[in-house]
Amino acid sequence: QKEVEQNSGPLSVPEGAIASLNCTYSDRVSQSFFWYRQYSGKSPELIMSIYSNGDKEDGRFTAQLNKASQYVSLLIRDSQPSDSATYLCAVNRREYGNKLVFGAGTILRVKS
Amino acid sequence: EAGVAQSPRYKIIEKRQSVAFWCNPISGHATLYWYQQILGQGPKLLIQFQNNGVVDDSQLPKDRFSAERLKGVDSTLKIQPAKLEDSAVYLCASSLDQYSGNTIYFGEGSWLTVV
């Protein structure tokens, strides 16, 4: 079982819709969770972090964490064509230091 | 604030040749990481430094890969001899330190093609 699993996609949504990206992780001691956006040919860019169960909102982005279910998601409201990218989920087990384990990413395509 | 700098950006080499990548982290960042990202996969940690000491190199193929951060600032990742499966993007990243869970910032990456 992979430590961090994501559906590879592509996930296609129309412009203005809500895009929902999901991620599951295997290690219950994972403590912090991150969503990175990666445009083709570019490096990953942090867009959201979440540490506690529940929702965290930042502009059009909402991260949701459920540690009991070992599940983290990212919602993108009012999706724009510029949101088309690969979204990487990453988890950090802090007792091992500040080290991220990444999923393979979900490709999001927003169609105008 | 300057970001993580990497060079060269692109490199094409033949198998069994050697290559070296250089990284300069964000000023003041004690922790430096080298990740390998193969096309279609997420980044995989190769090695993590705290200042000039190695914190984790458990996934570094030590028979062919080496890395150093002699003065606790710049770092070099070397591959010798290269294999076809080493074709990937090598991402250098840095964070303020390894304990606080601070944001990890990535450089633009060094793209390696082994032919």
Side-chain angles (χ1 to χ4, degrees), chain B residues 1-105:
Chain B
E1 179 182 81
V4 178
Q6 292 188 243
S7 68
R9 290 293 316 280
Y10 305 94
K11 192 76 175 178
I12 300 174
I13 62 172
E14 296 182 349
K15 59 184 179 183
R16 292 186 291 273
Q17 286 188 325
S18 63
V19 63
F21 301 114
W22 172 84
C23 172
N24 182 247
I26 294 172
S27 178
H29 281 196
T31 309
L32 184 147
Y33 314 79
W34 283 102
Y35 280 85
Q36 179 194 57
Q37 187 174 22
I38 293 171
L39 188 64
Q41 299 181 17
K44 181 183 83 171
L45 180 68
L46 293 177
I47 189 167
Q48 177 181 350
F49 292 95
Q50 177 70 9
N51 296 310
N52 61 351
V54 176
V55 174
D56 182 353
D57 63 356
S58 58
Q59 298 194 90
L60 186 73
K62 298 180 185 65
D63 58 333
R64 297 183 301 103
F65 287 66
S66 65
E68 60 184 14
R69 193 184 185 199
L70 293 176
K71 296 183 179 179
V73 181
D74 295 5
S75 176
T76 302
L77 176 71
K78 297 179 181 178
I79 307 173
Q80 181 179 15
K83 292 186 175 181
L84 296 177
E85 59 260 37
D86 298 332
S87 295
V89 181
Y90 291 87
L91 295 163
C92 181
S94 70
S95 65
L96 203 57
D97 62 51
Q98 67 168 326
Y99 298 112
S100 63
N102 277 310
T103 300
I104 295 176
Y105 298 92

Side-chain angles (χ1 to χ4, degrees), chain A residues 2-9 21-25 34-36 72 74 86-90 101-107, chain B residues 41-43:
Chain A
K2 293 182 181 178
E3 283 195 66
V4 180
E5 297 212 48
Q6 298 180 252
N7 187 320
S8 61
L21 304 162
N22 304 316
C23 172
T24 58
Y25 58 95
F34 304 85
W35 285 98
Y36 280 79
V72 59
L74 179 70
T86 297
Y87 289 80
L88 298 164
C89 174
V101 178
F102 284 87
T106 298
I107 298 171
Chain B
Q41 299 181 17

Side-chain angles (χ1 to χ4, degrees), chain A:
Chain A
Q1 182 186 15
K2 293 182 181 178
E3 283 195 66
V4 180
E5 297 212 48
Q6 298 180 252
N7 187 320
S8 61
L11 172 66
S12 292
V13 300
E15 183 175 358
I18 295 175
S20 178
L21 304 162
N22 304 316
C23 172
T24 58
Y25 58 95
S26 61
D27 196 332
R28 287 191 172 274
V29 301
S30 297
Q31 296 184 346
S32 49
F33 307 85
F34 304 85
W35 285 98
Y36 280 79
R37 178 176 60 200
Q38 187 173 29
Y39 292 114
S40 181
K42 298 295 186 181
S43 60
E45 172 194 13
L46 180 68
I47 53 172
M48 287 288 288
S49 59
I50 186 166
Y51 305 95
S52 304
N53 279 328
D55 295 358
K56 178 182 177 182
E57 187 175 318
D58 184 1
R60 296 187 296 113
F61 299 98
T62 299
Q64 300 174 317
L65 175 61
N66 183 326
K67 289 188 178 181
S69 300
Q70 296 174 239
Y71 176 91
V72 59
S73 65
L74 179 70
L75 301 178
I76 306 174
R77 291 181 299 281
D78 189 24
S79 295
Q80 302 297 311
S82 58
D83 294 326
S84 298
T86 297
Y87 289 80
L88 298 164
C89 174
V91 304
N92 189 351
R93 296 181 294 175
R94 197 168 296 176
E95 67 270 24
Y96 295 116
N98 196 20
K99 183 178 78 172
L100 294 179
V101 178
F102 284 87
T106 298
I107 298 171
L108 173 66
R109 293 181 181 154
V110 181
K111 298 180 179 180
S112 58

